[in-house]
Structure formats: C-alpha cells, structure tokens
Amino acid sequence: MRRRDVLRASAAAAALPFAATTASAQQSAFEPLGVLDLDGTKEVVVGDAGETAYVATTDGIATVDISDPADPQQLASVAPLLADREDGPMRMVYDVKLDGETLIAVGPANPTQGETVQGVVVFDVSDPADPEQTGFHETDFAVHNAYLQDGVAYLTANDGAKNPIVMVDVSGDTAEEVGRWSSVDHDERWRDVYAGLRSCHDVYVHEDTLYVAHWDAGTWLVDISDPANPEYVNHFGHYSVEELRDIPTGEAGAESLSVPGNSHYVAVNEDASVLASGAESWDVDTDDGDPGQGGIDLWDVSDPQNPEKLSFIAPPPTPNGTRNGTWTTSHNFEFRGDRLYTSWYQGGVKIHDVSDPASPEELAWWRNPDEARFWTARYATEEAFVAGDMGGQTYDAGVYMFPNRAGEQPDPPELQTTAVATSTATETTAAETTTTETPTATEASNESDGGAPGFGALAALAGASAAALAAWRRDD
C-alpha cells in the first residue's frame, strides 16, 4: 500500500499560464487533496464523524483514516473474508454498509460457478483500527448490494425467479431472516418479464420506506415499518410491465444495458422529498446518432403516490458511448444537504447543487480517465468528500479525497482513454413515465441537463453476450 503522489501533475502545471492567474482563480482549482492506493476498492461509506472510511475491497474490507484529507491512511484490513470455511473465502465483496458502530459486508456480488460461501458478514467497528467480526448469515443467493438500518440488513437476492429483497436481523448474537418482498408477489405479471430486466440491483432505506433500484422495472417504494410484513407503496420508471413482457428473450440482454436506462442506484435527500435514480447504461443502438450513456433522474416524491420527474443530470459527454468507449455512465451517489455527490466511472466525480432539484447546478467536476474509474462519491465533512476508485488494467484502485466546494479542474483531460476500453455521452430525450394502475406519476415538461460493476448481476440473469461478460470480468 502506498500513498499516491497526487501533486505530481501540479509541479508541471506550475510552468503553465494557469499558474499565473489570480489568487481567487487558484483557490477555485478543483483537484484531489489526497489519495490512498488500496487494491480492490469498490464501495466506500463514511462514519458519522467523517473521520473514517469503510471500504469494500473485493476480497474483504478495509478501514481508512480520512481525518486528514491530504493524507488518508489505512487503519486495518480484514481479508480474505471467511477463509476458514470449506466453501470460503467470500469472493466479489463489492458492497459495505454502516449503521452506527455496525458494519456489514456482502457477497459474492454476482452468481459464481461452483460452490462458494454467500451471505452477509457483520462487524463491530467501534474501534475502526480493529474491526471485529461478530456474525455471519449464510444465504443461498449471491448478494450484489445491501443496506443496513436499525439492525436489519436489506439484501438483494437475485435468484432468477422472484428476485426478492431479503430482510435479515443482524442485531443479535445470531442473524436471522425476518422477511421478504418481491415485485412478483405484488403482481404476478412480473414473473413473465425476463429476470434480468427486473434485477433488484440496489436498495436504500429512509425511515419506514425501502427504495429498490429494480433495473428496467423501475424504482419501487416499499413500506417496511414492519420488516416482517413489507407492503407495496408505488413504483415508476421508463417502462410498464406490459412493455417489458413483450421484449423477446434474445433481445433482453441488449435492452437491459441500453438508454434511456435502468434503475441501477437510488437514494433520497434528507426529508425524502427528492429521489435520485441513476441508470447504468450505454449506447447499444449506435445507428441513432446519439452516443448517450445513463444519467440521473431527479424526482419529487413528497407524495409517493404521485411522483413527478423534475430534471435529468446528463452524464459527461464522450464521442463513443458504447461499452468499448470511455465509461461515463452514472454509478453510485449520495445526497447531503443541498448537494448531490456523484460518480461516473472514467467520467470522474461531480458535486451538484440540488437546492432547486428542477434545475440542478454543477459546482465541481474532476476526471482523469487514464488513471481513475470512480465507483462512488460520499460526503465526509464540510471540507472534504471521499470517492472510491475501482482501478483499471494499468492503474491502481484506491480512495480519493476531494475538496467539498465549488471549483474547476485545471487543464482537464479529454474523456478519451487508451488505458481501458469504456464509454459515455449525453441523453437528450425525455423518457416516458409509467406506473401501476391506481397510483399515478407525471413527468415535468422541462428536461434539465443540470450542467464492473452492476453489469455482472445483469449478465448472469439476462444472458448478455459472452464477449461482454468476459470484458466485464477482466475489469474485476
């Protein structure tokens, strides 16, 4: 492990005209404050005090001291996970979640060939320098993503049949399943939709509501005031169940990865009045002249029965929006106050002011497609935010610290790369909103361009091409 020299480019910049600009312009320069190389970095979450980051490292977890954003330091690592088990160790640990002093790690993110340990590992992180495993709940399904609130872990359980969310109580000495929810149980018509088009990719919990990123099936809201008896609230997205049922099996893989996109990641702001749904999608139809990839839709969900689409945050543009171009499709993000912190793979990280969610304003953007592919962006403190870089074929993964303020990257690179094959572009058309029979949803007429990943779970279910799956696995 080594701390990357993030100032190596700044020395060269001293000889450039930019260095001679005014003090105010220099202060607004937006660059990393510090970087820690950390193999296998995927999801990153931050403790309440903003001093410790917790990282999924593909083979386990790590804790990082980020109290000095200019000098992030690894505190501890627990890897490989469950190596002492006959079917261990746990592989593809892509997600961690934190609630107070309890951390969970889940995996494997995608189905595997052969027997392998699957489930959720529980840690006491009251001492971040010495995480202690306190429990493990084994599952009969791979776990791509999860959420943790009030001692209950919410797990994605893509089994190819019902694709449920499984609730597990991890608060006691022995973890146990307490409930399940599935769109198929809500409406049997969803059983006829190809499983990969209705993958439960990610989950988010706010108070008594579970938010499910249900891929092409849209974003779903579920009442979990009693986790043992979850109840449907509403759902909305680009497609109706009838439209998805009509997609031939042979076309499902391509459709699941194409714009206008799926519901790949979902989060709400602090009062749950605004919901962001991000799509992970690419330019599959290269004949339409639009090389667009997936962006982020902002919705007014103050009345969950009548959601209204407010705006669209477009992905960073690139000439080649296919999976073989530069990936700048949306990935994971977080609301904090009036700001939205976003990651866009090789498209970098951004901060948006969403105080007016109908007109999000870009405050800062940093990218370096030949050296970083960002998995997530998270608020740390008023001074800094953290981003997880998943690395690439020619550069290391790691944890980046950025200033939490508006600014502009000096001499930004073009969003084209020779280091890793990837893709992006700007979505320009409004997507049709659909809901179920009773609840309604309307879409505002004003589209705002407000200035591997999940694909693995999809490929396993939707039968994406062997070449595409092989390309994704090479990125792991």
Side-chain angles (χ1 to χ4, degrees):
M1 230 68 64
R2 63 184 176 83
R3 180 176 175 271
R4 195 177 304 171
D5 180 8
V6 297
L7 299 180
R8 60 187 179 275
S10 298
L16 300 177
F18 179 84
T21 55
T22 64
S24 60
Q26 289 176 338
Q27 289 173 356
S28 67
F30 191 81
E31 299 177 291
L33 300 170
V35 183
L36 173 71
D37 286 348
L38 184 57
D39 290 346
T41 293
K42 295 295 192 296
E43 185 59 274
V44 180
V45 294
V46 180
D48 292 340
E51 296 181 349
T52 307
Y54 301 84
V55 186
T57 57
T58 305
D59 62 350
I61 67 162
T63 59
V64 179
D65 182 349
I66 57 171
S67 57
D68 178 359
D71 188 24
Q73 296 286 337
Q74 182 171 335
L75 295 172
S77 173
V78 182
L81 288 186
L82 306 177
D84 57 341
R85 294 180 60 96
E86 182 179 352
D87 51 357
M90 180 178 282
R91 300 161 54 192
M92 290 186 282
V93 181
Y94 289 1
D95 199 27
V96 291
K97 289 296 184 292
L98 180 71
D99 187 21
E101 296 180 343
T102 301
L103 182 79
I104 59 170
V106 297
N110 305 312
T112 61
Q113 294 182 346
E115 293 295 323
T116 186
V117 63
Q118 305 178 120
V120 52
V121 186
V122 186
F123 296 91
D124 177 349
V125 289
S126 54
D127 179 0
D130 186 23
E132 178 186 357
Q133 181 180 329
T134 58
F136 170 62
H137 176 77
E138 188 167 14
T139 64
D140 58 2
F141 50 83
V143 186
H144 198 70
N145 287 303
Y147 202 88
L148 178 64
Q149 177 175 283
D150 297 335
V152 177
Y154 299 81
L155 313 178
T156 60
N158 291 300
D159 57 10
K162 291 187 175 182
N163 291 354
I165 301 299
V166 174
M167 295 76 161
V168 177
D169 185 345
V170 298
S171 62
D173 294 335
T174 303
E176 59 178 349
E177 181 178 324
V178 294
R180 291 191 173 212
W181 176 87
S182 166
S183 57
V184 171
D185 289 335
H186 166 68
D187 184 341
E188 273 289 329
R189 293 179 299 168
W190 287 101
R191 191 185 296 273
D192 299 329
V193 174
Y194 201 69
L197 294 172
R198 53 180 175 84
S199 164
C200 284
H201 183 269
D202 218 323
V203 288
Y204 188 90
V205 177
H206 181 275
E207 296 182 352
D208 290 337
T209 302
L210 169 69
Y211 302 84
V212 182
H214 214 330
W215 215 250
D216 284 305
T219 301
W220 293 60
L221 281 61
V222 181
D223 182 340
I224 51 161
S225 52
D226 179 2
N229 294 286
E231 296 184 0
Y232 170 82
V233 175
N234 196 5
H235 77 276
F236 46 88
H238 296 296
Y239 309 105
S240 67
V241 62
E242 291 83 8
E243 289 171 325
L244 293 177
R245 285 196 302 180
D246 289 343
I247 296 175
T249 298
E251 300 175 12
E255 181 62 38
S256 68
L257 298 175
S258 65
V259 292
N262 42 61
S263 181
H264 163 273
Y265 193 82
V266 62
V268 295
N269 65 350
E270 292 177 9
D271 65 359
S273 62
V274 178
L275 176 146
S277 175
E280 185 181 64
S281 55
W282 293 265
D283 181 21
V284 174
D285 183 5
T286 56
D287 296 328
D288 64 2
D290 175 14
Q293 292 190 19
I296 299 173
D297 290 325
L298 296 183
W299 292 79
D300 179 347
V301 290
S302 53
D303 178 0
Q305 297 300 330
N306 293 283
E308 178 183 356
K309 185 176 172 182
L310 299 172
S311 59
F312 174 73
I313 298 176
T318 189
N320 183 352
T322 71
R323 286 184 55 79
N324 292 320
T326 302
W327 289 14
T328 62
T329 182
S330 168
H331 208 245
N332 297 354
F333 48 80
E334 182 178 50
F335 282 102
R336 183 60 64 101
D338 288 335
R339 291 184 175 182
L340 180 65
Y341 303 84
T342 59
S343 63
W344 307 86
Y345 284 117
Q346 287 167 292
V349 292
K350 293 188 176 189
I351 307 173
H352 280 84
D353 180 343
V354 290
S355 54
D356 178 4
S359 183
E361 177 187 358
E362 183 180 299
L363 299 178
W365 177 23
W366 189 89
R367 63 279 195 194
N368 190 349
D370 276 326
E371 293 194 11
R373 285 193 296 172
F374 289 103
W375 186 274
T376 194
R378 298 272 185 175
Y379 171 94
T381 66
E382 290 300 302
E383 288 71 41
F385 75 94
V386 62
D389 165 24
M390 67 183 287
Q393 295 169 341
T394 60
Y395 50 89
D396 296 324
V399 176
Y400 275 68
M401 300 300 300
F402 288 96
N404 188 3
R405 58 168 173 77
E408 185 173 336
Q409 180 179 1
D411 193 25
E414 294 293 327
L415 279 175
Q416 299 184 57
T417 177
T418 57
V420 181
T422 37
S423 135
T424 197
T426 303
E427 181 173 345
T428 57
T429 58
E432 180 180 335
T433 302
T434 59
T435 54
T436 51
E437 307 82 355
T438 306
T440 60
T442 57
E443 181 170 330
S445 60
N446 57 316
E447 284 291 314
S448 169
D449 285 338
F455 172 66
L458 239 311
L461 292 174
S465 73
L469 181 56
W472 174 80
R473 291 199 184 282
R474 284 197 300 271
D475 288 338
D476 260 345

